[in-house]
Amino acid sequence: MVRCLPRSSIGIGTPCRRVGGDFQFRSRCAFTSVAATNSARSVFARPPKQLELNRYLALNSHPAAYQIASSTIATPSSLTTQRRFIHHHEQTPSSKVCPDAKTALALSGLKSGDMVAVGGFGLGGIPETLLNEISFQDDGPTNLTVISLTAGVDSFGLGRLFEAGKVKRMISSYVGENKNFERMFFSGELEVELVPQGTIAARLRATGNGMPVIFTPAGAGTMYANGGIPLKYAPDGSVAIVSEPRPTQIFDGKEYVMEYALRPDVSLVKAFKADTRGNLIFRGTSQNANPDCAVAGKIVLAEAETIVEAGELDPDEIHLSGVYVDHLIQAENNEKRIERLRETVAGQVPNISGPRGRIVRRAAKEFKDGMYVNLGIGIPTMASSFIPDGVHIELQAENGLMGLGPYPDPSIGQRGDADFINAGKETVTSIRGASTFCSSESFSMIRGGHIDLTILGGMQCSSSGDLASFFIPGVLLKGMGGAMDLVSSPSTVIVTMKHTAKDGSPKILKECTLPLTGKAVVDRIITDMCVFDCDKKNLKKGGLTLIEIAPGTTVDDVRAATGCPFDVVDGEIPVMEEP
């Protein structure tokens, strides 16, 4: 006969050996012979093979385990072990659901001066209910530092926090859609720290991974790394606070910026579906930075459109484990406003003419079959309507979608969906075989060199391949978005833009006069006048080479509109297609 210790000390298939006339099991907490201990504790009256079967059934939660275990208990004292086993397997997991947002925020301990991470991209996937509750609390926390990929729009979501005077500093990548935000910044009411979108996601994810810092090429060699970007203006319009230089390090001959992990005191996230244990499922591009905010937060509050009982979600379909979520509420404010509703008609090609159309059609010729491509807002996105015949590419949106489809077509029953938007916050569809993912994974694809081609717009380019595209000090505040991450990646980088500014001044210069998005990052410039190749790697002592020219344009015309010298391709210069 053998004495059985509690289940937690037994491993499935634990070997046994005979000791004297009894069986003794080998385990970290050894089974000992009853004869040796002269104990009157629980015993099994069945042979060892039956004991192994009972233990296997119990450990695998087989329904028959309870009946078999009961039939083999020899003494009342063994009921303690049985009760412990039943308690472990039959207990209903405790719920993390709170009755409302006010209760959840009270439990979070959010206070004035805290750092708060907020999920969402544009208006997609934002925790509306929690944001509204904070905004409407007259005696609630103030002087908050808010981390979010974007600043939203006026009078909705994050916009209400700014209008309620709750925010002291905003850490964001793009704030261009919020006019009130821009006014508050230039009037000195708000501090703004612009950070590349992929860097924000990575710094949040680093905290979740227990890493104090990361190294990224985004922003290396620019004012972002060197310091000097205005963080706050004084009421008289002068700069009150500027950014400090960031540490850099050279790895394999390339410069990287060291960034400290972001550790918010409280994170607010939004899910499509959740269970009562806090396991979360997201939908479409509404996933964005929500998981990254969640893994970083000391306390995490989640709101979900639908909440089900624990066990009703397929474990394989859960995007974020409930281990990261502290409190959960039903999303009561669920407007899910669409920022830019775009629709199309099947087979209808946009009518884009003039200089703009020339740029779009030329950019489309850069697509090669099998490419994974990221397209910026505006002209680059339009190029996807002119993909050459026989060429199949897959488009990535950095807010979390691979397999970007056309705008929804109402004629075939498609409607704009707030959970499927592109990086320009426009409604889109997804193609067959598409996938969605969080922001940190999206930018891992980019930094890791898995995106073949990036096409984006610009304000200025230099002859050495520098790009300026995100900021005009004292005049225009938009942010770099994901551009710094994209142009610093191993992908081919093509810039599309008008050759001159509205006042006729050159936008292609020997040196950019605006803050840089990236240094020596541009491979090709496509304008309404010509196409330049950039020797960004200085293989030919740097500089530009004109490789195509617009119809009716001469080389002298291009020289007059360009603020730097350039070479011309040998032989006859190819002519750009006229729209």
Side-chain angles (χ1 to χ4, degrees), residues 149-434:
L149 297 185
T150 61
V153 298
D154 298 339
S155 303
F156 186 76
L158 280 170
R160 287 178 175 158
L161 283 187
F162 304 129
E163 292 162 11
K166 301 288 187 179
V167 183
K168 176 184 178 182
R169 172 176 286 202
M170 180 70 176
I171 300 175
S172 187
S173 69
Y174 190 81
V175 298
E177 269 76 46
N178 196 317
K179 298 301 181 184
N180 180 62
F181 180 98
E182 189 170 359
R183 180 198 63 76
M184 292 178 69
F185 175 58
F186 285 121
S187 65
E189 300 173 50
L190 186 67
E191 298 176 15
V192 179
E193 183 179 348
L194 293 174
V195 178
Q197 190 176 135
T199 299
I200 291 177
R203 290 172 68 183
L204 289 167
R205 183 62 66 165
T207 296
N209 291 340
M211 299 167 57
V213 298
I214 62 165
F215 285 91
T216 173
T222 73
M223 184 183 285
Y224 175 76
N226 299 334
I229 295 179
L231 299 179
K232 184 179 181 180
Y233 282 89
D236 63 2
S238 61
V239 177
I241 305 175
V242 297
S243 63
E244 296 290 330
R246 285 169 158 80
T248 61
Q249 184 75 36
I250 303 295
F251 295 99
D252 298 326
K254 185 171 182 177
E255 187 178 17
Y256 289 78
V257 181
M258 190 182 86
E259 300 274 9
Y260 290 98
L262 290 169
R263 185 67 190 270
D265 298 289
V266 177
S267 289
L268 312 178
V269 301
K270 170 74 174 291
F272 175 63
K273 187 180 288 187
D275 67 17
T276 54
R277 289 297 295 150
N279 295 307
L280 305 182
I281 291 176
F282 304 96
R283 181 174 181 269
T285 56
S286 66
Q287 183 171 176
N288 48 68
N290 276 294
D292 303 311
C293 291
V295 301
K298 296 176 185 176
I299 297 293
V300 178
L301 308 184
E303 62 179 81
E305 296 177 40
T306 302
I307 301 177
V308 300
E309 290 297 326
E312 292 189 28
L313 298 181
D314 184 337
D316 289 336
E317 295 179 356
I318 291 170
H319 294 122
L320 184 77
S321 170
V323 70
Y324 296 108
V325 176
D326 295 284
H327 307 292
L328 174 68
I329 65 164
Q330 179 74 46
E332 297 176 356
N333 305 132
N334 213 29
E335 181 179 340
K336 298 180 70 171
R337 185 183 298 182
I338 292 175
E339 195 165 344
R340 290 194 176 98
L341 177 62
R342 290 295 302 270
E343 296 177 338
T344 189
V345 176
Q348 186 179 69
V349 178
N351 182 20
I352 307 171
S353 59
R356 190 180 179 90
R358 189 181 303 131
I359 299 172
V360 168
R361 285 169 171 78
R362 178 57 186 82
K365 292 184 177 181
E366 298 294 331
F367 300 139
K368 301 296 184 289
D369 193 41
M371 276 185 167
Y372 290 97
V373 179
N374 184 289
L375 298 178
I377 301 168
I379 287 176
T381 295
M382 295 177 190
S384 62
S385 298
F386 299 91
I387 299 173
D389 292 339
V391 173
H392 299 86
I393 63 174
E394 198 154 342
L395 298 177
Q396 188 227 29
E398 63 260 32
N399 53 309
L401 175 61
M402 178 64 77
L404 196 67
Y407 300 127
D409 182 359
S411 69
I412 57 174
Q414 296 176 340
R415 293 289 183 270
D417 188 334
D419 289 338
F420 282 87
I421 60 174
N422 61 18
K425 292 91 173 180
E426 300 170 321
T427 50
V428 294
T429 59
S430 57
I431 64 172
R432 293 180 62 182

Side-chain angles (χ1 to χ4, degrees), residues 222-224 229-230 459-460 467-473 484 512-518:
T222 73
M223 184 183 285
Y224 175 76
I229 295 179
M459 295 178 184
Q460 292 179 344
L467 171 66
S469 65
F470 79 98
F471 185 47
I472 301 178
M484 277 191 176
C512 293
T513 59
L514 296 175
L516 296 184
T517 305

